[in-house]
Amino acid sequence: MGKNKMKKFHIVILAILILVFVFITIVKGSFSITLWRAGFSSANIQTLARSFDDNGNEIRIIKTNSKKSDIVLVYLVKNKFGFWKVGYFTPSSSNKLAVIGWMRWSTVRRFKADEDPLFEAEYHKIYYGNNAIKRIEFLPGQIPENVAVSIWQAGKEYYIHFVCFETGKDSPLNSIDIYSLLLKNKCIANLR
C-alpha cells in the first residue's frame, strides 16, 4: 500500500510538471501563435514601438505581412497572464503606405491644489512604407508645432513615428497628409 501511494504521488508530481511545462511553452509562444491565428506572418516581424496601455498591459506595435498585404501594422496587447492578443491592425493601402494610431494617458497636471487636475494624452501615429527613393525628411514648417517626429529608414523601407499631446479632431496629426508631403519632398516613388 505504501508503494502504491508513492507511485501515485510521483505520477501526480510528473503530471503537474508536464502541465507547468506546457503552460510555459504556450505563454512563451503566445506571440507567434496569436499572429498565426490572425493570419499574419510571424517570420517577418519588426517591432516599431513598445509601451504600456492605461491598464498596465504591455503593448507592441509591429510591422508584419499577410497573404493579402505585404505591409500590415498590428497593435498587440499582452494580458496579465502573459498571453498576447491582436487589438487591431491596418494593412497598407494602394500607395504602399500603412498607418496605425493609438492613444494613452500620459500625465496629470495640476497647478493649484484647488484646481481640477488636467489629464494629458499622448497621441501616436506610425506610417510605414517601402517606396523610398531618397532619405526621408521634412522641410521647416511642414510638421505642425508640438509634434515630435522620429524617422527610421533602411534603403526603401521606412517608418515615421509622430507623437503629440492633442487628441481628437483638433489634433495636429489629423492635418498632416504624409503621402503628399513625401511626394512633394521627392522622398518616395508615386505608386498611385
Side-chain angles (χ1 to χ4, degrees):
M1 196 127 177
K3 285 185 178 184
N4 283 341
K5 285 186 178 182
M6 274 309 259
K7 199 176 200 181
K8 287 180 183 179
F9 176 76
H10 287 292
I11 290 172
V12 167
I13 294 296
L14 183 62
I16 290 171
L17 289 174
I18 289 171
L19 288 173
V20 167
F21 176 76
V22 168
F23 179 77
I24 289 171
T25 302
I26 290 172
V27 168
K28 292 283 185 193
S30 167
F31 191 81
S32 296
I33 292 168
T34 298
L35 290 175
W36 172 74
R37 288 187 63 214
F40 305 126
S41 171
S42 59
N44 184 20
I45 295 173
Q46 182 178 2
T47 301
L48 307 179
R50 293 176 116 160
S51 187
F52 292 90
D53 66 11
D54 295 328
N55 296 319
N57 298 319
E58 182 181 350
I59 63 165
R60 280 192 201 169
I61 312 305
I62 65 162
K63 176 259 176 192
T64 186
N65 62 341
S66 68
K67 291 179 181 177
K68 297 177 183 176
S69 183
D70 62 337
I71 300 172
V72 180
L73 300 182
V74 184
Y75 178 96
L76 293 143
V77 180
K78 186 178 186 181
N79 69 19
K80 62 183 175 183
F81 300 110
F83 293 103
W84 289 94
K85 79 172 195 169
V86 172
Y88 52 92
F89 63 93
T90 56
S92 59
S93 59
S94 60
N95 61 19
K96 298 292 185 184
L97 192 63
V99 61
I100 195 164
W102 70 99
M103 185 197 82
R104 66 180 291 251
W105 294 105
S106 60
T107 59
V108 178
R109 289 190 304 169
R110 180 180 292 189
F111 297 105
K112 295 180 186 173
D114 59 344
E115 282 186 354
D116 288 332
L118 175 66
F119 293 90
E120 287 200 352
E122 294 176 358
Y123 186 45
H124 295 257
K125 237 181 192 178
I126 291 181
Y127 294 84
Y128 195 105
N130 60 5
N131 58 342
I133 55 176
K134 72 170 201 168
R135 183 176 160 196
I136 301 295
E137 56 190 0
F138 299 102
L139 302 174
Q142 288 184 321
I143 303 300
E145 290 184 18
N146 301 322
V147 174
V149 181
S150 174
I151 301 171
W152 172 90
Q153 184 173 1
K156 291 182 176 187
E157 294 203 24
Y158 61 92
Y159 72 87
I160 306 163
H161 184 173
F162 292 102
V163 181
C164 77
F165 289 97
E166 295 176 48
T167 60
K169 65 180 181 174
D170 297 329
S171 171
L173 294 185
N174 294 331
S175 67
I176 303 173
D177 183 352
I178 290 300
Y179 186 74
S180 295
L181 280 177
L182 293 174
L183 282 176
K184 180 179 180 181
N185 297 345
K186 296 180 174 49
C187 296
I188 62 172
N190 189 352
L191 298 174
R192 284 187 182 168

